[in-house]
């Protein structure tokens, strides 16, 4: 019976082992198939090869190191015991283990297990090893050691890791041989204390000497790490670091070498206390030289005259921080405030006026959800901002993808979840500056199938197989038709027509996917055929992170309409925390969520955390402990096929050049990006927020000003939904005196620290040819320029406005004060704030844009539309703005009247009618219906334009 149980136990162990191995093999194969389907086969095998060989090399070194030490311990203890050099008789433990193979098995297994752990520790730094062996020079040096920055970014981290790993190996070896000697009786515990035979003591002393030599190497490396010191006034090595700590490190280095020498001397010396003298001397030196001496220098030499001592090092911190965050080339421009805008100035800046944002992302998302989700299993997870040329007119818009909400799928069986409901459908798009008479967004793209007011926004492939919340895998090209979209009481069905998944072309592939997803239906379902494909990693963030985990990614991918198809663009960053003298950004970057109108936790960004914050997106990537960042890569993902392309936009970045050396097939030059996609590149908001947080301090380039903190800036507050929140960077179409035409900019105003008046604003260009250029406009310090909170206070104190707000709040409704935006017009500033109204209910009512507030100088107006508010401020006929527009013709801006627009719309209506008649004659009912829908859209827009002329 006992033998039978043993066989059962062994069989169970074998089965479990095979199950684990099959899972590991299935994971590798499935991942390899996925990378191959994307065309990134080289990326996968380079990564696997780097992990394998890194782990193998470190593991083999550990085997050799541990094995050699244990072998020597075995050799010394066995041979010398046999010669009876110490005892006439062997101890009981020696007799036991000399006649048993158990200790040999335990020793070998222990060596292999520890070596495997050491190999895994080495494997964890596989990417660092690749960067080290493929590094590119930065072409700039540090100010102290005059070494290329690449040494600090690529080499120094590896040196520290290798030293730490070797130290761990030596300590593990020392513990292993000590235990072995204990078993062999070379180390005994008696009443008079621990007794160690000479050969065991000598062996441990050699290992101790190696430990001290590794410590000496560590002290040498720590000298370079002083450039990351945080002990002085500013980040990086200060006066005490370079005049005391570096000398202390040199002393400690030689002390460590001397201590290693004492351990070696103990091999021949009769003085058994030499190792203890070495250890005590090292500890005393570390306390006195490493801590007390620098403290005395700081207290007696630096503190009484801190600025004069630290000034040159403060300058290093300023310069290298600006370099690390790409702020060293920021243009600072004086902005002389003039309150002399006229109605003619407003009309001459008509493109800016026509793109003033009065739609807010959070209420807009809720409106999209209630008006355009169509079915409960659809969801608008996020609202994005972009700009399009619509019928030749440059328009800033907001848009949101209609994705599947897998939590709301009716009857969520395996078949429904993975074979039937496979994709989202279409999008909503509306301009930022208009609304319907009911206060709802003016939808330029809407409904299912998508209906667009212009051919420039037409979507001919609206299926969304890849998106921000597509967490579930999908099996396409099965015998099961896919749900496409609802049409009245019926549903439309479709079949996938591309190659966006991994083919299940063999039984072994189906078996591998069944093991990978722990789902037997891959093997047994009759709906799956050899033509079927599996789509996984469909959520955008997981997709790009699986391809290139060494990059950091913006939290907000955005949707693009290009050539009738839908694409996603994601900004990718190269980052490091090893740039010398550059202040680390250590806060958690949290971005506002578009899904809530309330408040939430505070942001941890320095300078962006004043007052209560809005609700933030959860489970997003973080950018922490970095002091260098570049937006070197733009990632494009086809929403239908899943094709993923990484485009280089900053080929001067040494980090991305290093990654290109490692993965030569991963990156494509920006010149290969289609122009229809290139037109939608924008400056990333995550990086801009980090740069703004750093620049609010490091714009003080004078060390004296920096030391005194005379000119600290802050990010202003605003009132949103009756709560104070920070102003977050926002996109706006505008033109300054330094620009030839309007373009999309990313803006953020600044106020002085602990003040509410504005001191300036920061702008990043999003359009070519100025893309990436950052400008800071400084206001005169002797003049009062209203900040957002001061405008908010004036709005609250305005008697007429306060009366209406109070009345609305008392009628069972909630007033939502939207984001305030500050837009420069020539040399003046306009403040725009929308007011929304929604019914108070447990579900939350439909937000409606009811009023627009415009502030200019000492004047404030609240009206139903933006045109009315502007006409009230500047005293002109409110129809004036509606009668003209500015379009792009052959690359040039042309101002024309609405009459010209009406003529163009009439021509398009006739063209769509002629197309419909042609389709009718040929019996093409699908084309006939599409032409009639386009004709309806044009006639509706013609009606809207005509009403604006009245």
């Amino acid at each position: 019976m006992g033998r039978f149980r043993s066989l059962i136990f062994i069989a169970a162990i074998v089965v479990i082992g095979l199950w684990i191995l099959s899972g590991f093999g299935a994971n590798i194969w499935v991942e390899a198939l996925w990378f191959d389907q994307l065309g990134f086969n080289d990326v996968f095998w380079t990564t696997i090869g780097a992990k394998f060989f890194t782990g193998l090399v470190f593991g083999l070194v550990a085997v050799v190191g541990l094995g050699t030490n244990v072998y020597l311990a075995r050799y010394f203890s066995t041979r010398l015991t046999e010669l009876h050099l110490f005892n006439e008789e062997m101890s009981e433990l020696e007799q036991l283990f000399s006649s048993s193979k158990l200790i040999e098995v335990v020793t070998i297994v222990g060596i292999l297990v520890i070596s495997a752990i050491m190999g895994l520790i080495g494997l964890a730094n596989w990417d660092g090893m690749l960067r080290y062996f493929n590094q590119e020079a930065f072409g700039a040096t540090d100010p102290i050691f005059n070494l290329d920055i690449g040494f600090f970014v690529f080499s120094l981290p590896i040196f520290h890791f290798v030293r730490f790993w070797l130290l761990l190996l030596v300590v593990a070896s020392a513990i292993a041989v000590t235990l072995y000697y204990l078993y062999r009786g070379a180390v005994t515990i008696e009443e008079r204390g621990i007794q160690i035979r000479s050969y065991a003591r000598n062996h441990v002393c050699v290992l101790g000497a190696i430990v001290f030599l590794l410590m000496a190497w560590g002290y040498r490396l720590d000298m370079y790490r002083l450039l990351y010191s945080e002990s002085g006034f500013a980040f990086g090595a200060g006066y005490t670091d370079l005049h005391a700590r570096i000398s202390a490190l040199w002393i400690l280095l030689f002390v460590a070498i001397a201590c290693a020498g004492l351990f070696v001397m103990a091999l021949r010396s009769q003085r058994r206390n030499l190792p203890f003298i070495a250890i005590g001397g090292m500890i005393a030196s570390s306390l006195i030289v490493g801590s007390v001496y620098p403290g005395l220098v700081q207290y007696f030499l630096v503190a009484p005259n801190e600025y004069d001592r630290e000034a040159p090092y403060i300058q290093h911190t300023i310069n290298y921080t600006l370099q690390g965050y790409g702020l060293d080339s920021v243009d600072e421009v004086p902005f002389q405030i003039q309150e002399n805008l006229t109605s003619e100035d407003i009309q001459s800046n008509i493109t800016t006026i026509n793109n003033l944002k009065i739609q807010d992302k959070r209420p807009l998302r809720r409106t999209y959800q209630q008006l355009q989700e169509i079915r409960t299993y659809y969801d608008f997870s996020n609202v994005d901002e972009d700009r399009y040329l619509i019928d030749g007119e440059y328009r800033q818009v907001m848009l949101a993808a209609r994705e599947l909400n897998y939590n709301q799928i009716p009857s969520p069986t395996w078949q429904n979840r993975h074979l039937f409901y496979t994709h989202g459908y279409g999008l909503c798009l509306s301009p930022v500056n208009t609304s319907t008479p009911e206060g709802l967004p003016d939808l330029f793209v809407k409904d299912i199938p998508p209906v667009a007011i212009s051919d420039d926004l037409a979507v001919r492939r609206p299926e969304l197989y890849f998106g921000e919340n597509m967490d579930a895998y999908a099996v396409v090209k099965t015998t099961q038709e896919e749900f496409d979209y609802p049409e009245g009481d019926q549903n439309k069905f479709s079949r996938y027509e591309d190659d966006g998944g991994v083919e299940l072309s063999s039984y072994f592939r189906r078996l591998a996917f069944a093991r990978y997803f722990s789902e037997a239906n891959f093997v047994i379902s009759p709906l799956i055929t050899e033509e079927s494909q599996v789509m996984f990693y469909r959520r955008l963030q997981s997709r790009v992170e699986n391809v290139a985990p060494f990059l950091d990614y913006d939290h907000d991918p955005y949707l693009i309409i290009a050539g009738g198809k839908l694409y996603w663009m994601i900004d990718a960053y190269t980052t490091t925390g090893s740039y010398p003298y550059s202040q680390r950004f250590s806060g958690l970057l949290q971005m506002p969520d578009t899904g809530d109108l309330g408040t939430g936790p505070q942001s941890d960004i320095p300078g962006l955390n004043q007052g209560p914050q809005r609700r933030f997106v959860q489970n997003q990537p973080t950018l922490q402990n970095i002091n260098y960042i570049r937006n070197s890569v733009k990632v494009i993902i086809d929403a239908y096929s899943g094709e993923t392309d990484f485009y280089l936009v900053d080929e001067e970045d040494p980090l991305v050049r290093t990654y290109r050396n490692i993965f030569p097939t991963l990156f494509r030059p920006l010149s290969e990006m289609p122009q229809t996609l290139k037109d939608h590149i924008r400056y990333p908001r995550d990086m801009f927020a980090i740069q703004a947080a750093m620049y609010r301090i490091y714009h003080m380039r004078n060390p004296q000003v920096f030391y005194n903190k005379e000119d600290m800036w802050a990010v202003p507050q605003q009132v949103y939904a009756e709560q104070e929140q920070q102003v977050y960077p926002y996109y706006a179409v505008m033109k300054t005196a330094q620009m030839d035409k309007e373009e999309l900019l990313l803006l953020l105003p600044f106020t002085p620290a602990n003040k509410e008046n504005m001191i300036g604003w920061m702008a990043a260009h999003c359009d070519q040819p100025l893309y990436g250029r950052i400008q800071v406009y400084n206001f005169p310090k002797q003049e009062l320029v209203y900040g957002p909170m001061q405008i908010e206070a004036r709005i609250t104190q305005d008697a007429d406005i306060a009366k209406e707000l109070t009345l609305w709040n008392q009628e069972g409704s909630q007033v939502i004060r939207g984001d305030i935006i500050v837009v420069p017009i020539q040399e003046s500033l306009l403040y725009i704030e929308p007011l929304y109204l929604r019914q108070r209910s447990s579900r939350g009512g439909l937000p409606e844009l009811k009023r627009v507030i415009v502030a200019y100088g000492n004047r404030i107006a609240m009206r139903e539309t933006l045109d009315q508010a502007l006409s009230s401020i500047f005293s002109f006929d409110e129809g004036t703005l509606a009668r003209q527009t500015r379009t792009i013709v052959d690359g040039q801006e042309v101002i024309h009247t609405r009459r010209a627009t009406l003529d163009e719309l009439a021509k398009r209506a006739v063209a769509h009618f002629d197309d419909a008649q042609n389709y009718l004659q040929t019996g093409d009912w699908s084309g006939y219906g599409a032409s009639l829908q386009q004709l309806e859209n044009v006639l509706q827009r013609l009606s809207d334009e005509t009403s604006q002329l009245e």
Side-chain angles (χ1 to χ4, degrees), residues 548-583:
F550 43 84
L551 299 175
D552 289 305
Y553 297 93
D554 196 274
H555 90 285
D556 184 24
Y558 58 99
L559 192 66
I560 297 172
I561 304 172
K565 296 186 65 178
L566 298 177
Y567 298 87
W568 295 96
M569 184 175 290
I570 309 176
D571 289 285
Y573 308 115
T574 53
T575 62
T576 181
S578 302
Y579 200 89
Y581 266 112
S582 177
Q583 173 68 54

Side-chain angles (χ1 to χ4, degrees), residues 790-798 801-802 817 833 853 860:
Q790 291 174 322
I791 296 296
E792 298 281 17
R794 292 177 56 198
I795 293 173
T796 302
Q797 295 165 7
D798 185 280
I801 296 177
R817 294 170 64 164
E833 180 174 284
I853 300 175
I860 292 181

Side-chain angles (χ1 to χ4, degrees), residues 170-209:
V170 174
V171 171
S173 299
I175 294 173
V177 299
T178 300
L179 291 174
Y180 194 89
Y181 284 132
L182 185 63
Y183 280 122
R184 286 296 186 181
V187 178
T188 59
I189 302 175
E190 301 177 358
E191 292 183 359
R192 54 181 177 172
I194 299 176
Q195 301 298 313
I196 305 176
R197 295 181 179 179
S198 60
Y199 60 83
R201 181 170 61 87
N202 291 344
H203 192 171
V204 174
C205 283
V206 170
L207 293 175

Side-chain angles (χ1 to χ4, degrees), residues 92-335:
E92 294 182 3
L93 284 175
E94 290 175 308
Q95 292 177 15
L96 172 64
F97 290 118
S98 63
S99 61
S100 173
K101 296 297 183 182
L102 179 61
I103 186 61
E104 304 297 337
V105 174
V106 171
T107 301
I108 293 173
V109 171
I111 290 173
L112 293 178
V113 169
I114 295 174
S115 299
I117 294 173
M118 296 297 292
L120 291 174
I121 293 173
L123 181 149
N125 206 26
W126 66 271
D127 53 340
M129 290 294 175
L130 284 178
R131 287 192 294 268
Y132 173 74
F133 288 109
N134 294 274
Q135 63 181 277
E136 287 274 343
F138 272 69
T141 60
D142 75 278
I144 305 302
F145 301 102
N146 201 32
L147 295 173
D148 188 87
I149 303 296
F151 169 80
F152 297 91
V153 174
F154 302 118
S155 302
L156 187 59
I158 290 299
F159 294 159
H160 266 279
F161 174 77
V162 171
R163 187 199 72 88
F164 163 77
W165 188 88
L166 289 174
L167 188 61
L168 199 62
L169 177 62
V170 174
V171 171
S173 299
I175 294 173
V177 299
T178 300
L179 291 174
Y180 194 89
Y181 284 132
L182 185 63
Y183 280 122
R184 286 296 186 181
V187 178
T188 59
I189 302 175
E190 301 177 358
E191 292 183 359
R192 54 181 177 172
I194 299 176
Q195 301 298 313
I196 305 176
R197 295 181 179 179
S198 60
Y199 60 83
R201 181 170 61 87
N202 291 344
H203 192 171
V204 174
C205 283
V206 170
L207 293 175
I210 296 174
V211 168
F212 277 102
L213 290 176
L214 290 173
M215 289 176 64
W217 186 23
Y219 288 130
R220 179 59 179 147
L221 296 178
D222 286 343
M223 297 178 195
Y224 299 112
R225 290 177 63 85
L226 288 175
L227 272 60
Y228 311 129
S229 172
E230 299 185 56
S231 60
F233 178 83
F235 186 87
Y239 182 91
T240 301
D241 295 313
L242 297 178
H243 291 81
R245 285 193 177 87
I246 196 167
S247 301
L249 289 171
W250 276 114
I251 294 172
L252 291 174
L253 183 150
F254 289 115
V255 169
I257 294 175
C259 290
L262 288 177
F263 269 79
V264 174
M265 289 173 60
L267 301 178
R268 297 293 182 182
S269 175
Q270 296 299 319
R271 298 180 60 186
R272 296 192 174 186
N273 61 345
L274 287 179
F276 298 103
I277 293 174
I279 294 172
M282 192 73 252
I283 294 174
S285 299
S286 298
L287 292 174
I288 297 172
V289 179
S291 299
V292 175
Y293 171 58
L296 293 174
V297 171
Q298 177 70 28
Y299 185 80
F300 289 103
L301 293 181
V302 177
N305 191 23
E306 188 175 44
Y307 172 72
D308 289 339
R309 299 288 190 186
E310 299 284 5
Y313 312 112
I314 293 174
Q315 189 65 65
H316 293 330
T317 301
I318 294 171
N319 294 341
Y320 282 81
T321 298
L322 293 175
Q323 291 175 24
Y325 292 94
L327 296 169
D328 51 321
S329 58
V330 168
D331 296 327
E332 294 207 2
V333 182
F335 194 96

Side-chain angles (χ1 to χ4, degrees), residues 129 167 252 259 272 381 405 570 590 600 631 692 759 774 792 808 861 917:
M129 290 294 175
L167 188 61
L252 291 174
C259 290
R272 296 192 174 186
S381 61
N405 184 345
I570 309 176
Q590 295 182 306
N631 175 216
I759 195 66
I774 297 178
E792 298 281 17
W808 284 330
Q917 294 300 312

